[in-house]
């Protein structure tokens, strides 16, 4: 294969050409995944398949910033003639094509971990269902310019804080992924997962003080107070499942409304994957 990795920081371990990819540093300030990838690069791993460990945005990582020119996880599939993040996106999308990929991220929304996938590929649902995550979110129709729309990719969201505990959790997710794709021997713990679809954003009105009063992945009834801005309560005009709601993280939105699409992979296969639907439909 072409060994010119361009703007990507890539370390290849294991026999032969890389078939599996673990990515961190899509956002340069999400440190737990970066620390996990660096640990795995240095670890004595009994790899059965070749793995590429990738830090996607090295300059943003060095600067400790989310990005330098544009948000990398909002510009896929990228543009080889665009700004620096658009060029990285184009190269990374090309690099993961044909390779099963895990992308590690950080979020201010709790609880973590949870998985983000794209329903264009049933195999992403299948792989995510085998990882130790209690919640799996399909973002089909929303945020269509993220890394999960490139190749065969599952994204894992962990807490954003840069602590040893969260770096350990990120490393465990990566090791579980490598187990499941037969790159490492072993069998990660089974977790019963619930499945959701991400719908429209929840706007964040202007203000100086924000609170979220509901739990992500727990149904919010119509009329319930879900957040407040400067003490003013915001109520749900219809029932929804909150996804990635947080008082922090974004200037413009709290997070996303969602719908629950199944309690098992069989449910999702029967009612969701391949079904004709409007991406804005919700229960």
């Amino acid at each position: 294969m072409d060994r010119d990795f361009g703007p990507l920081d890539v370390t290849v371990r294991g026999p032969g050409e890389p078939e599996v990819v673990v990515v961190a540093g899509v956002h340069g300030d999400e440190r737990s995944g970066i620390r996990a990838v660096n640990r795995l690069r240095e670890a004595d791993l009994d790899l059965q398949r070749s793995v590429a460990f990738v830090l996607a945005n090295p300059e943003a990582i060095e600067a400790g910033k989310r990005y330098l020119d544009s948000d990398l996880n909002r510009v896929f599939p990228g543009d080889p003639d665009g700004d620096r993040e658009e060029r990285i996106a184009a190269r990374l999308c090309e690099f993961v094509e044909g390779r099963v990929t895990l992308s590690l991220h950080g979020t201010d929304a709790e609880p973590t971990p949870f998985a983000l996938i794209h329903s264009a590929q049933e195999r992403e649902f299948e792989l995510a269902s085998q990882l130790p995550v209690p919640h799996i979110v399909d973002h089909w129709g929303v945020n269509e310019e993220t890394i999960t729309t490139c190749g065969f990719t599952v994204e894992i969201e962990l807490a954003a804080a840069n602590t040893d505990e969260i770096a350990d959790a990120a490393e465990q997710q990566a090791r579980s992924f490598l187990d499941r794709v037969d790159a490492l021997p072993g069998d990660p713990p089974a977790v019963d997962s619930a499945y959701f679809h991400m719908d429209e954003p929840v706007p964040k009105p202007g203000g100086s003080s924000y609170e979220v009063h509901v739990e992500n992945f727990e149904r919010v009834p119509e009329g319930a107070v879900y957040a407040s801005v400067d003490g003013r309560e915001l109520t749900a005009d219809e029932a929804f499942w909150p996804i990635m709601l947080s008082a922090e993280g974004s200037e413009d939105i709290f997070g996303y409304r969602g719908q629950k699409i199944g309690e098992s992979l069989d449910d999702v296969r029967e009612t969701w994957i391949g079904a004709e639907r409007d991406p804005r439909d919700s229960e």
Side-chain angles (χ1 to χ4, degrees):
M1 96 179 211
D2 181 8
R3 309 302 291 194
D4 179 11
F5 300 120
L8 309 176
D9 179 354
V10 180
T11 297
V12 178
R13 296 281 184 265
E17 300 298 329
E19 302 173 312
V20 175
V21 182
V22 177
V23 180
V26 169
H27 291 138
D29 59 351
E30 295 175 358
R31 309 303 297 185
S32 62
I34 296 165
R35 292 172 65 185
V37 163
N38 282 328
R39 288 180 186 179
L40 291 167
R41 284 174 163 181
E42 300 300 324
D44 183 16
L45 302 175
D46 182 19
L47 290 171
Q48 312 299 302
R49 303 174 71 185
S50 182
V51 180
F53 295 101
V54 178
L55 296 180
N57 199 340
E59 292 183 31
I61 292 169
E62 184 175 357
K65 296 182 177 181
R66 183 176 177 86
Y67 57 85
L68 298 184
D69 289 346
S70 58
D71 188 332
L72 177 54
N73 213 29
R74 298 295 183 272
V75 297
F76 286 95
D79 179 352
D81 299 316
D83 68 26
R84 66 177 312 280
E85 270 81 13
E86 290 171 335
R87 294 193 302 272
I88 290 171
R91 184 66 184 96
L92 184 54
C93 211
E94 176 187 37
F95 185 79
V96 303
E97 185 64 35
R99 300 182 173 97
V100 58
T101 300
L102 179 76
S103 186
L104 297 168
H105 293 256
T107 179
D108 290 306
E110 292 292 345
T112 56
F114 59 90
L116 287 170
I117 56 92
H118 194 272
S119 69
Q121 300 185 82
E122 180 177 354
R123 59 185 183 172
E124 293 180 356
F125 277 101
E126 293 171 344
L127 176 57
S129 73
Q130 297 171 3
L131 299 177
V133 290
H135 305 104
I136 297 170
V137 179
D138 171 16
H139 71 88
W140 175 78
V142 182
N143 291 343
E144 288 284 341
E145 296 178 311
T146 67
I147 189 173
T148 47
T149 60
C150 293
F152 176 12
T153 302
V154 173
E155 179 175 312
I156 299 292
E157 295 282 350
L158 299 117
N162 180 21
T163 67
D164 291 342
E165 180 181 9
I166 299 168
D168 290 345
E171 182 179 353
Q172 183 55 49
Q173 288 291 329
R175 286 178 177 269
S176 295
F177 164 75
L178 293 173
D179 290 340
R180 282 306 188 192
V181 298
D182 299 322
L184 278 177
D187 194 15
V191 173
D192 290 330
S193 301
Y195 298 79
F196 299 82
H197 178 249
M198 180 186 290
D199 291 323
E200 63 187 19
V202 179
K204 181 186 281 187
S208 58
S209 175
Y210 299 92
E211 292 183 82
V212 170
H213 304 298
V214 295
E215 298 292 328
N216 283 302
F217 306 112
E218 297 291 336
R219 186 178 184 273
V220 176
E222 180 181 350
V225 175
Y226 64 85
S228 58
V229 181
D230 296 335
R232 177 170 61 90
E233 294 181 340
L234 305 178
T235 59
D237 54 4
E238 59 182 351
F240 71 100
W241 277 260
I243 296 175
M244 299 183 76
L245 255 65
S246 170
E248 310 294 334
S250 173
E251 295 182 0
D252 302 321
I253 65 172
F254 281 108
Y256 298 88
R257 296 175 179 268
Q259 61 173 303
K260 197 170 190 177
I261 58 175
E263 290 284 356
S264 70
L265 186 57
D266 285 341
D267 290 345
V268 175
R269 286 193 181 105
E270 181 176 349
T271 64
W272 187 255
I273 296 173
E276 293 186 6
R277 56 186 181 269
D278 185 325
R280 303 301 179 184
D281 284 345
S282 61
E283 296 181 357

